[in-house]
Amino acid sequence: MKSLIINDFKQQIKVYETLLNEIDVGAHVINEAGKTIIYNNKMMEIESVTKEEVFEKDFLDVFAFEDGQRSTLLDALFKEKEFKNRRQTYFTKNGKEITTINNTFPIYENNKVIGAIEIANDVTKIENLIKNSMKLKGDTRFTFDSLIGKSDVIREVIEIAKRATRTPSSVLIIGETGTGKELFAQGMHNGSEHSSGPFVSQNCAALPDTLIESSFFGTKKGAFTGASDQMGLFEQAEGGTLLLDEINSLSPMLQAKLLRAIQEKSIRRIGDNVDRKVNVRIIATINEDPVEAIANNRLRKDLYYRLSVVSLFIPPVRERKEDIPLLINHFIDKYNAIFQMDIANISPTVLQIFKNYDWPGNVRELEHVIEASMNVIIKESIIDVSHLPYHFRNKSSLMSPQKSVVVDTKDSTTEISKVVQSDHLIDTDPNGHLKDFLLKAERYYIKEALEKNKYHKTKTANELGLSRQTLNYRMKRLHIDV
């Protein structure tokens, strides 16, 4: 009889386990000590964490929350609260951001709480799609908050641009192709009193001279065969901002007419004899040194002086390489959302290649390399050298074997070969596991950042692009004591 009862109990347990693993929602149960005792297959899929990594582990050793955020599962256990359809965002031990809609309840036995259960629906992909669509909506989606960088050179330019939003003066943005000149222009528009007006952008190199004049100033009906009353860019931008991209591609004659329009704050449509007043802020961009452009007759000196009341020099990536990790994270997040992928980072080798490269195409080129790399990834979560675009991998200056690679440190340069021999970083045995390699690299990277910031955790977290709580979690996981 006793044997029958035991067998029946085992069968019931098997039925419950099968049921939990087949349902299409995550189920997570912790006991009264806050340790995981039930963790179904769906929850494992949502969080990309194995059962072995969570079973009998303290909940906060596996999952982290932003400052000020609390776990609904722990609140259900320790505060005896119930949650219905509660949205929650948190991070796994691997740094993956998860958003779920939860129903969470304490579990009672004889009026005593003995655990808590959370039933979770994954909405991470939906959240990412919403965020992505919001970023892509409209013609002026970028603000100063969209500008990514912590280097002194980029922060200084952003500060000057912010100050210049207070006035309607013309602005000349100078920078190589791909540095993000239009992002600055949109940021200035959205931060100014013209933000409620239109933002009109025209690439001056995209149209021939025969069309660009009518595009700028508009036409009057009958001015030429087929002409109709048509507003030009100045009138379309009334009360807002007109961005003239690649101003140095305009002919000297058109530059002279543009100068007059800016000085007089009025335009005359082609074929018309009436001047029309316009209230437009002009922002122009140029992708070469203005002095060279003037010397080579690609830019009128008087137009340069009129446009450059405020001049912004956008630094190329090669002059702000400390911003590369932030830019990488931004583009990985962007294309994770678009491609519905879950790429975590790039390998240390790729990061070193990126830091050694001069990036002639600047931020735009970096974005294209990240996008192209993610297009060939199937199951991996790390972008490695083999994923880089063919043309990029075959740049001999980047990919040729070297005896040692020089990396920047706080006060000097250190050869990786020396660092490898220390107890800080990496065993370069090719037979070693990639996971161990990455963990050691991460440990070294965090320790270097902590030392650089004199072990101030908040400053270190900001530099690494992490929350303080996530940094604490990573330090604990990597056994970094301060």
Side-chain angles (χ1 to χ4, degrees), residues 431-447:
N431 296 317
H433 291 291
L434 176 62
K435 182 178 180 181
D436 294 335
F437 179 92
L438 294 175
L439 286 173
K440 290 176 183 177
E442 181 182 1
R443 187 173 189 270
Y444 169 77
Y445 195 74
I446 291 176
K447 288 185 72 174

Side-chain angles (χ1 to χ4, degrees), residues 357-387:
Y357 186 49
D358 276 343
W359 298 105
N362 292 293
V363 178
R364 184 181 294 126
E365 183 182 6
L366 175 58
E367 178 177 2
H368 289 171
V369 170
I370 295 295
E371 180 184 2
S373 301
M374 290 176 66
N375 266 279
V376 300
I377 289 179
I378 299 175
K379 294 182 179 180
E380 302 91 337
S381 61
I382 300 293
I383 296 175
D384 209 344
V385 175
S386 61
H387 302 128

Side-chain angles (χ1 to χ4, degrees), residues 230-396:
Q230 186 69 42
M231 289 194 302
L233 295 173
F234 277 86
E235 289 180 84
Q236 292 174 36
E238 177 64 26
T241 301
L242 175 58
L243 171 62
L244 301 176
D245 196 17
E246 297 187 50
I247 194 74
N248 49 321
S249 65
L250 290 178
S251 69
M253 180 193 70
L254 281 174
Q255 289 187 30
K257 292 185 176 182
L258 178 62
L259 174 63
R260 178 187 177 280
I262 296 172
Q263 287 178 328
E264 303 296 331
K265 297 186 184 301
S266 66
I267 58 96
R268 179 178 294 184
R269 292 181 181 181
I270 295 176
D272 202 353
N273 57 7
V274 176
D275 289 334
R276 302 168 187 264
K277 289 291 183 182
V278 288
N279 174 28
V280 176
R281 184 180 199 177
I282 303 296
I283 299 179
T285 74
I286 185 171
N287 55 12
E288 63 176 324
D289 187 332
V291 175
E292 290 187 11
I294 292 170
N296 292 303
N297 298 317
R298 288 191 294 271
L299 181 65
R300 288 176 59 107
K301 185 183 294 187
D302 48 5
L303 179 60
Y304 166 70
Y305 290 134
R306 173 56 62 182
L307 291 174
S308 63
V309 176
V310 177
S311 294
L312 297 180
F313 293 85
I314 313 302
V317 170
R318 63 180 175 275
E319 294 179 8
R320 45 177 293 214
K321 288 193 174 181
E322 59 265 53
D323 293 333
I324 287 178
L326 291 177
L327 292 165
I328 290 168
N329 289 336
H330 171 74
F331 293 132
I332 287 176
D333 288 344
K334 174 180 176 178
Y335 289 103
N336 271 338
I338 294 173
F339 298 157
Q340 292 298 282
M341 297 176 71
D342 192 25
I343 304 303
N345 211 325
I346 64 173
S347 71
T349 304
V350 172
L351 179 59
Q352 194 58 52
I353 290 171
F354 282 6
K355 287 186 175 180
N356 291 341
Y357 186 49
D358 276 343
W359 298 105
N362 292 293
V363 178
R364 184 181 294 126
E365 183 182 6
L366 175 58
E367 178 177 2
H368 289 171
V369 170
I370 295 295
E371 180 184 2
S373 301
M374 290 176 66
N375 266 279
V376 300
I377 289 179
I378 299 175
K379 294 182 179 180
E380 302 91 337
S381 61
I382 300 293
I383 296 175
D384 209 344
V385 175
S386 61
H387 302 128
L388 298 176
Y390 178 82
H391 66 86
F392 191 86
R393 280 189 284 120
N394 283 274
K395 292 179 186 292
S396 58

Side-chain angles (χ1 to χ4, degrees), residues 402-445:
Q402 298 178 8
K403 293 182 179 179
S404 63
V405 180
V406 176
V407 294
D408 290 333
T409 59
K410 179 170 51 118
D411 298 313
S412 62
T413 58
T414 305
E415 291 183 353
I416 283 225
S417 56
K418 294 179 182 177
V419 177
V420 167
Q421 295 170 8
S422 75
D423 62 352
H424 283 97
L425 187 53
I426 304 166
D427 176 7
T428 55
D429 179 6
N431 296 317
H433 291 291
L434 176 62
K435 182 178 180 181
D436 294 335
F437 179 92
L438 294 175
L439 286 173
K440 290 176 183 177
E442 181 182 1
R443 187 173 189 270
Y444 169 77
Y445 195 74

